[in-house]
Amino acid sequence: MSELVPGGNMPLPGGVVTVRVPGPFDVSALITDDGGKVQGDADFVFYNQPSAPGARLDGDTLTVEPPRLRAGATRITVVVSSAEPGTPLGRLPAPTLLVTAPGGRRLARFAPPPPRQETVLLLAEIYQRAGGWKLRALGQGYADGLAGLARDFGVDVIDEPAPSPTPPSPTPPIPTAPIPATRSGSSSLSLPPAPAVPTAPPPSPDPGGFLGLVNSARAAAGSPPVVLDARLTSAAHAHAGAMAAAGRLGAEGRDGVSVHQRVTAAGYAYLTIGEHLVSGPRTPSESVRYCLGDERSRRTLCDPACTQAGVAYVGDGRSGDMYWTALWARPLTPGDLTRTAAEVVDLTNRQRARAGLPPLAGDPLLATAAQAHSADMVARSFYSHTSPEGTQPWDRAAAAGARRRSIGENIACGQRSPAEVVDGWMNSPGHRANILKPDFTHIGIGFAGGGPAGTYWTQLFGA
């Protein structure tokens, strides 16, 4: 069984797949095409409309048969909300997604970061890719309820008549909801359409004095300044353009290329990265103001670990919406890679010491195999212990020259630091068992940035 993190994905077997979210929640699903919009109200599966072609809801369990979805459907977004309307999810137990194959075989588990004031959570999506189907963990929160979410996906929602609005001011303020929070270290926001503008040309090195606004905010937070990097700016412009072309925010464009893949394609190798994907603001000051308006977004902009940035915006000539991509990163050096691996080993051995176990010694051959697997997951956009051609951890260890009698492997994706990834492994029973296995004596660490999830980690154990 795979333990997923936000942004992590896995291939699904053919046929029926079941997803379940136990607890005091309402489960629903939105069936869309690549544009992210439903074809009609029948594509919204929820407690009052529990079935659609290829999807059936029974209490807390959604059964999906992708081949039977309506023509043109390429994506199913799984959503949870409180069974008590309007109750923030932060007041309830954290939701957990359980994915099973026919016969009850457990495929995956996803426990997102605990939500706070959000009332709706986009938990996962099942999507078509290269003739097959995959599942991606999301963990994106909405603050204005299921109706607001449905509207964003194109569902007609009838509300009671509202009072007549007052005339809008020439420059409307930035609203605070809905705010769908993306993978840790990033956020997205859909604002009312701005006046129609032409598609922007390639951005200047510092559009509208963006860098000065950012570094002023970072200085106030006690963080060092960032400098603009041409490769990050190029990747930001490519991703903003992809979002404008699709007419929607997303960490991945219609072409299936993620923002992190655009960064690595631009020739930028990073140790850590964060992003803001925003639509609506018309000026750099509005964009920065939004990024500072939410705690998670502010942490990303002011992250002291980041030293370089890139920003760009592109207009959608059809709707007039402006799509922004801002990237924050620290470049990867050979020394950084060595220090990161050493920190993962140190944190792992601290956990073993607490359990009364001896420390693991570093093994350069295991490290070579682990690093190659992390880099391979980035290069070929997969996340699995089994490579696309079927090799397993022990095969990779043997190919690197290791001659250990027993091999174990932990993998993870999306975490931004050694502490975060080791904590995640320790909170997962299967990964924890590897870390605390008495028989293991040696370890190798792999880390690579890129791919759909942004970061890919490998621990390879040997005895």
Side-chain angles (χ1 to χ4, degrees):
M1 182 183 71
S2 297
E3 291 279 348
L4 298 177
V5 298
N9 66 79
M10 60 171 288
L12 293 174
V16 176
V17 173
T18 298
V19 296
R20 177 173 175 258
V21 185
F25 308 106
D26 281 331
V27 179
S28 52
L30 291 140
I31 300 168
T32 63
D33 53 24
D34 282 337
K37 298 293 185 181
V38 300
Q39 191 176 70
D41 293 355
D43 283 346
F44 187 20
V45 178
F46 65 118
Y47 50 86
N48 277 344
Q49 185 172 273
S51 65
R56 184 179 72 258
L57 180 64
D58 184 10
D60 62 2
T61 301
L62 177 72
T63 301
V64 178
E65 190 173 359
R68 294 190 60 247
L69 293 171
R70 58 131 174 115
T74 59
R75 194 175 302 259
I76 306 158
T77 303
V78 181
V79 180
V80 293
S81 56
S82 169
E84 185 66 31
T87 301
L89 292 170
R91 298 181 187 175
L92 304 175
T96 299
L97 180 78
L98 304 173
V99 186
T100 57
R105 180 170 62 91
R106 186 73 61 84
L107 296 175
R109 177 182 179 275
F110 173 51
R116 296 183 181 179
Q117 294 305 309
E118 297 92 344
T119 56
V120 173
L121 194 66
L122 278 64
L123 203 51
E125 59 182 11
I126 297 170
Y127 62 103
Q128 192 174 40
R129 181 59 41 79
W133 290 83
K134 301 179 75 173
L135 180 136
R136 179 185 292 111
L138 296 177
Q140 300 175 10
Y142 262 65
D144 74 339
L146 204 55
L149 170 70
R151 287 191 192 94
D152 280 1
F153 278 75
V155 178
D156 291 329
V157 179
I158 300 175
D159 290 333
E160 294 181 4
S164 299
T166 56
S169 59
T171 305
I174 301 295
T176 58
I179 302 178
T182 66
R183 183 183 62 82
S184 175
S186 61
S187 54
S188 306
L189 172 65
S190 289
L191 302 182
V197 293
T199 299
S204 64
D206 185 10
F210 185 89
L211 189 64
L213 297 167
V214 165
N215 282 334
S216 176
R218 288 176 64 88
S223 298
V226 292
V227 297
L228 290 173
D229 181 90
R231 296 162 297 176
L232 290 175
T233 298
S234 173
H237 186 261
H239 197 70
M243 292 192 297
R248 67 182 179 96
L249 292 169
E252 189 176 278
R254 277 181 178 172
D255 54 4
V257 180
S258 74
V259 63
H260 307 105
Q261 289 169 312
R262 299 187 201 282
V263 172
T264 52
Y268 190 97
Y270 55 82
L271 178 66
T272 189
I273 194 166
E275 68 275 354
H276 287 104
L277 310 177
V278 185
S279 72
R282 293 169 294 285
T283 66
S285 60
E286 286 184 355
S287 181
V288 172
R289 179 151 45 101
Y290 160 67
C291 295
L292 294 171
D294 170 76
E295 181 182 355
R296 181 180 293 181
S297 299
R298 188 186 309 113
R299 284 201 307 268
T300 300
L301 187 148
C302 297
D303 187 344
C306 295
T307 59
Q308 296 179 336
V311 63
Y313 59 91
V314 174
D316 179 354
R318 300 159 299 184
S319 67
D321 289 343
M322 299 293 291
Y323 288 85
W324 294 74
T325 299
L327 299 168
W328 323 93
R330 178 188 180 101
L332 178 69
T333 68
D336 285 327
L337 185 57
T338 299
R339 283 189 293 273
T340 297
E343 190 172 348
V344 173
V345 173
D346 178 63
L347 291 169
T348 299
N349 280 333
R350 290 186 195 183
Q351 297 293 341
R352 288 177 64 86
R354 289 172 187 164
L357 297 170
L360 302 172
D363 183 321
L365 298 177
L366 292 179
T368 296
Q371 182 61 33
H373 188 54
S374 287
D376 191 30
M377 289 191 289
V378 167
R380 295 198 282 176
S381 300
F382 74 97
Y383 177 64
S384 175
H385 294 288
T386 305
S387 72
E389 62 272 13
T391 60
Q392 302 287 344
W394 42 90
D395 300 320
R396 294 189 287 271
R403 295 294 179 264
R404 301 288 170 187
R405 60 181 174 80
S406 177
I407 293 291
E409 183 179 80
N410 286 344
I411 59 174
C413 66
Q415 297 84 356
R416 297 178 61 201
S417 69
E420 186 179 346
V421 74
V422 174
D423 283 347
W425 281 325
M426 288 300 294
N427 287 326
S428 165
H431 298 92
R432 178 188 179 94
N434 270 342
I435 289 174
L436 301 183
K437 186 172 181 177
D439 291 349
F440 286 143
T441 57
H442 289 76
I443 188 172
I445 304 298
F447 167 82
T455 57
Y456 291 76
W457 306 77
T458 301
Q459 272 184 324
L460 198 57
F461 304 91

